[in-house]
Amino acid sequence: MKPMNMKNAFLKTRLLLAAMVAVASLTATAHAAAPGITGPTFNLTAQPAFLSQPDGQSVYSWGYGCNGTPAGYAPAAITGTFCNSMQVPGPTLIVTEGQSVTVNLTNGLPTAAGNTSILFSGFTVTATGGAAGLITREATPGTTGTPVTYTFTATSPGTHSYYSGTQSDLQIEMGLFGAVIVLPASVPATCTSGLASSNLAAEAHWGESDFRLAPAAYDNAKTCYDREYLFQFSEMDPKIHTQALAQVTARAGCVAGAMGCSLDIVTEPYHPAYFMINGRSMPDDMDPNYAAEYQHQPYNGNPHMHPGEQVLLRIIGQGRWQHPFHEHGNHVRILARDGNLITSASDPNSLAGPLLFTTTTTPGQTMDGIFYWTGKGLNWDAYGHNPSSGDSLAKLPCTPDANGYNTGATSAINYYEWCQDHNKPLQAAPFGDVAGGGPATLPDANILTNGAWYGGSPYLGPNATVRATGPTGTTPPSGTIANSPTGEAGFAFMWHSHNEREITTNNIFPGGMLMMMLVDSREFVIDESN
């Protein structure tokens, strides 16, 4: 070890483990998808409720929700349906390019909270009913309140946001925001043929359903994808919410428009203590969608994929702060911002979006991007192939296609393996000071791994631990795994804010804006129905 370099060596070791850590927990795994309700007519209400936080607090909040049963739910493969009368974020509104969209908003907030409204970023909106506001027409509160109707044409595909246009510093903070997803009117032919079709065939072979909202994000042949996840980033200052609850309680029963029937809440200085993905903080964001314990926070934030899949990330900055969110494992190729596809100035058929190390979520801005992981560049065999092993799964062939990947058989466990690294042993050299090396010696799992997330092997697929330790080897130290390592054995890449305070809950680590991207070989069935 080089002198004065112990800290760097320790950090490198932690990063190596983060990239190789194997997932052993099957029953606790839940996946995000991008669930929502379908239109083109939506009946929403704004109402108060309490949001659950991992530190045990229930925070008084406001949110949009369904006013009655919605027209439908998406994606079609999701069997569970949910749309409470208040939720944070609000219901994800899913429409198709070119549709005329109607949103009817009723104000169910306490009378003292005053009017409320919705702005639909990026669309030309016509508003009727309600009362005149500074930016748009507003729904008035109380039993005699007047609703408001917003209409617009879904002119462009992509991810968009909606949020309150009334007292925005307060009402967005309280939770009045959500997402609009516009699906392309036509699907490029290449998104249903070739390798795009092969990925779908591979999923079907292993019994997986298709949880995409569409085969492409935009009307462009280079925006095909295999999975999608929606992430809405927000933060919360509980002092503001405490003020709101106290003043609403003190003014209960007041008459709208009467003297003193209003709120006077200080929103600066701003000191958020909760940092959320889709309305939940870690570890709550890794529980299932629609989990009963989060009655008003239905959406989770736990992405999952197989090697070689194109994963569409729909990202929205819904809060007041900018959040530098880092997706470990690879950069994210940005397709579009605010629903505007980024194309080359010289060739409109070629995309020109940047590769981002962190997807910095600017308040009010949306991004669509592709995350991609194959194991290429590891310089060791991610599947742990060993021709001398008695494990037949360790003898799988790897036949490179024109791009170097094993895509000949969609039924293969190592479908989309990077064949150049086939049969290469795990080496110590990339993370140590010893050139060459042999198999790396992993650090003590009790120190650098987190309970059920560690399966004892740096390899993908069934029997991965056997391939790591040999047929007479042992499982990891007692207490480091929850289930048999022969079940799910994949990689868990930690995705988190690079503002370190934002991966805490009320200054307690771990928490906040943190989740795991789980990467598994094909035999593990990813079920995004919950």
Side-chain angles (χ1 to χ4, degrees):
M1 184 70 64
K2 293 179 180 178
M4 306 295 291
N5 199 31
M6 290 297 293
K7 180 179 179 181
N8 288 339
F10 180 71
L11 290 174
K12 286 180 179 179
T13 301
R14 293 186 65 186
L15 289 172
L16 175 61
L17 264 242
M20 300 190 312
V21 65
V23 181
S25 177
L26 292 173
T27 57
T29 303
H31 318 301
I37 59 175
T38 57
T41 297
F42 302 93
N43 298 308
L44 302 183
T45 183
Q47 292 192 171
F50 287 83
L51 302 186
S52 171
Q53 295 297 333
D55 61 356
Q57 298 297 312
S58 292
V59 182
Y60 176 73
S61 303
W62 303 336
Y64 299 113
C66 284
N67 187 7
T69 303
Y73 301 87
I78 287 185
T79 55
T81 56
F82 179 94
C83 193
N84 206 327
S85 58
M86 184 279 193
Q87 63 178 70
V88 177
T92 299
L93 312 181
I94 301 170
V95 298
T96 302
E97 180 186 10
Q99 281 186 326
S100 178
V101 181
T102 300
V103 179
N104 301 306
L105 174 65
T106 300
N107 187 349
L109 297 175
T111 303
N115 297 350
T116 192
S117 63
I118 305 179
L119 300 179
F120 297 90
S121 182
F123 301 108
T124 301
V125 181
T126 299
T128 58
L134 290 176
I135 302 177
T136 187
R137 297 197 68 81
E138 302 175 338
T140 58
T143 56
T144 60
T146 306
V148 62
T149 296
Y150 304 98
T151 60
F152 62 92
T153 299
T155 50
S156 60
T159 305
H160 306 263
S161 61
Y162 70 88
Y163 46 87
S164 174
T166 307
Q167 291 183 280
S168 296
D169 62 326
L170 173 62
Q171 294 198 5
I172 294 176
E173 162 69 26
M174 293 297 291
L176 289 170
F177 58 82
V180 179
I181 295 177
V182 181
L183 308 180
S186 60
V187 176
T190 54
C191 294
T192 56
S193 62
L195 280 178
S197 175
S198 296
N199 265 328
L200 195 61
E203 293 171 11
H205 172 81
W206 295 100
E208 292 183 2
S209 298
D210 184 2
F211 290 94
R212 297 174 300 175
L213 297 175
Y218 289 84
D219 301 306
N220 186 293
K222 296 184 179 178
T223 65
C224 312
Y225 64 93
D226 302 302
R227 298 189 187 276
E228 68 185 303
Y229 298 103
L230 170 63
F231 302 124
Q232 301 184 65
F233 295 89
S234 64
E235 69 285 334
M236 180 187 293
D237 184 342
K239 294 189 296 298
I240 295 174
H241 295 247
T242 300
Q243 289 181 69
L245 177 59
Q247 293 186 28
V248 162
T249 303
R251 294 160 176 73
C254 71
V255 179
M259 182 70 70
C261 193
S262 60
L263 304 182
D264 183 18
I265 296 173
V266 178
T267 59
E268 291 287 352
Y270 188 56
H271 297 295
Y274 299 107
F275 303 93
M276 298 171 292
I277 304 170
N278 295 337
R280 301 187 197 173
S281 298
M282 186 271 179
D284 296 353
D285 60 357
M286 291 188 280
D287 284 335
N289 287 318
Y290 318 123
E293 58 268 39
Y294 314 111
Q295 183 180 1
H296 303 288
Q297 300 148 277
Y299 303 143
N300 73 1
N302 198 35
H304 207 146
M305 68 177 292
H306 297 303
E309 292 181 331
Q310 302 276 339
V311 180
L312 175 65
L313 307 183
R314 302 181 182 271
I315 300 168
I316 307 178
Q318 295 283 25
R320 191 185 301 187
W321 279 9
Q322 189 177 68
H323 304 290
F325 197 79
H326 177 50
E327 294 85 357
H328 274 273
N330 204 349
H331 289 51
V332 175
R333 170 70 74 184
I334 299 303
L335 302 177
R337 287 191 173 98
D338 295 325
N340 298 303
L341 194 64
I342 304 172
T343 57
S344 168
S346 59
D347 179 8
N349 295 317
S350 296
L351 303 184
L355 279 170
L356 295 186
F357 180 75
T358 61
T359 49
T360 302
T361 56
T362 302
Q365 185 181 72
T366 71
M367 285 185 285
D368 295 308
I370 293 290
F371 179 85
Y372 182 73
W373 191 92
T374 64
K376 178 180 179 180
L378 289 179
N379 201 35
W380 50 271
D381 191 331
Y383 293 84
H385 293 103
N386 181 0
S388 63
S389 170
D391 178 6
S392 61
L393 292 175
K395 300 179 181 179
L396 296 174
C398 191
T399 304
D401 62 14
N403 295 313
Y405 295 102
N406 183 48
T407 58
T410 57
S411 60
I413 288 177
N414 63 329
Y415 175 73
Y416 237 104
E417 179 186 4
W418 172 244
C419 292
Q420 185 171 308
D421 290 341
H422 189 62
N423 282 336
K424 285 185 180 180
L426 183 66
Q427 299 290 315
F431 286 86
D433 295 313
V434 180
T441 300
L442 301 182
D444 185 343
N446 286 310
I447 297 175
L448 294 177
T449 58
N450 181 15
W453 292 109
Y454 187 62
S457 172
Y459 300 127
L460 288 168
N463 300 328
T465 297
V466 173
R467 295 201 298 278
T469 62
T472 60
T474 60
T475 57
S478 176
T480 62
I481 60 173
N483 297 301
S484 168
T486 61
E488 178 186 6
F491 298 158
F493 291 105
M494 186 169 71
W495 287 11
H496 61 95
S497 172
H498 262 195
N499 180 340
E500 292 188 0
R501 183 169 177 261
E502 294 179 359
I503 55 175
T504 69
T505 294
N506 235 340
N507 292 324
I508 298 172
F509 174 84
M513 290 179 176
L514 190 155
M515 58 187 173
M516 295 287 181
M517 162 56 89
L518 308 181
V519 181
D520 282 288
S521 55
R522 296 284 169 166
E523 84 291 342
F524 180 80
V525 175
I526 299 175
D527 180 4
E528 294 170 319
S529 62
N530 58 18

